[in-house]
Amino acid sequence: MSWYDELVGRLSLPEPAMVAPERALPGRAEPLDVPDTHYVNGHPIHPPFPEGLQLAVVAMGCFWGAEKSFWELDGVYTTAAGYVGGYTPNPTYEEVCSGRTGHTEAVLVVFDPAVIGYAGILRHFWENHDPTQGMRQGNDRGTQYRSAVFTFGAEQADLVRSTAEAYGKRLAAAGYGQITTEISPLPGLAAFYYAEGYHQQYLAKNPGGYCPVHATGVSCPVGTGA
């Protein structure tokens, strides 16, 4: 257990709560100013994407490190940082951090299923953060840091639930609590609000930047035959 976990336990800090829809910030009609291309590989970060590619949207704490971990994977065509799962249209970073939009920091992953399937994306997701922490990841605390997977269609949703069940057993055996990851359908990419340009591929633009990884060290059985 980390010092932060011990501190939370001693102080009995209340769990951050989702804002009620009627209390969410109004947002804006126009999207934020975002570059068209990926800073690292030059591929577009907005649709349309090349035929045959698939989409995934995941949230695993601070999106800086999460996005970097995905763009480095073989078979990933492009990535983008954004906000998902809330009520405020086209929110700013400051608004999301206020806890009054309902969004979580998320990553759009565009991938080639012939190289890395959705199961491989999920395995990377589960293994590279702690999905048992509720509304936080380590010291980053708030609804904007909650673990989540936003699915495109029933097939993705079924695979998320089955991998969550399998990984939950592994986590329990290692002494972790229950998985708290939100699993929600995404009606379309329009529900993914791209973050400001300076957040896109942030750790490539700022190589001295810091974004901790809160991986549990427990392997996910996806693709292992377990």
Side-chain angles (χ1 to χ4, degrees):
M1 179 179 292
S2 71
W3 68 267
Y4 182 79
D5 295 314
E6 293 176 356
L7 178 62
V8 170
R10 288 199 303 270
L11 297 180
S12 298
L13 295 175
E15 180 81 355
M18 282 286 288
V19 66
E22 64 273 13
R23 298 191 61 191
L25 296 173
R28 56 204 46 80
E30 293 298 318
L32 304 181
D33 185 20
V34 181
D36 293 325
T37 58
H38 198 281
Y39 181 81
V40 176
N41 60 35
H43 292 161
I45 66 172
H46 300 274
F49 301 115
E51 186 177 352
L53 300 184
Q54 296 182 8
L55 309 180
V57 173
V58 298
M60 45 200 291
C62 173
F63 50 20
W64 294 346
E67 187 193 7
K68 183 176 187 291
S69 75
F70 278 104
W71 84 55
E72 293 178 334
L73 292 179
D74 288 340
V76 170
Y77 175 78
T78 196
T79 58
Y83 313 117
V84 189
Y87 311 108
T88 301
N90 300 300
T92 66
Y93 181 67
E94 290 74 20
E95 289 171 342
V96 172
C97 287
S98 75
R100 295 184 59 201
T101 72
H103 294 289
T104 184
E105 294 188 15
V107 178
L108 167 67
V109 184
V110 183
F111 62 97
D112 183 349
V115 180
I116 181 171
Y118 189 58
I121 297 295
L122 290 178
R123 182 174 188 176
H124 184 81
F125 165 77
W126 292 122
E127 291 183 348
N128 283 275
H129 77 302
D130 184 347
T132 71
Q133 293 196 355
M135 299 294 185
R136 68 180 179 94
Q137 277 293 297
N139 296 346
D140 293 332
R141 192 168 184 274
T143 56
Q144 71 270 29
Y145 298 115
R146 70 188 185 273
S147 172
V149 183
F150 298 92
T151 59
F152 296 92
E155 186 175 347
Q156 282 197 359
D158 289 344
L159 191 54
V160 175
R161 294 189 183 96
S162 64
T163 57
E165 181 180 3
Y167 193 49
K169 294 176 181 177
R170 290 280 182 93
L171 289 171
Y176 286 87
Q178 291 186 340
I179 285 178
T180 59
T181 300
E182 173 187 346
I183 304 172
S184 297
L186 201 67
L189 199 51
F192 177 89
Y193 296 108
Y194 287 80
E196 294 87 339
Y198 72 92
H199 286 301
Q200 304 300 333
Q201 301 83 60
Y202 180 90
L203 292 182
K205 300 171 184 174
N206 302 273
Y210 177 68
C211 189
V213 176
H214 300 287
T216 62
V218 177
S219 63
C220 180
V222 174
T224 64

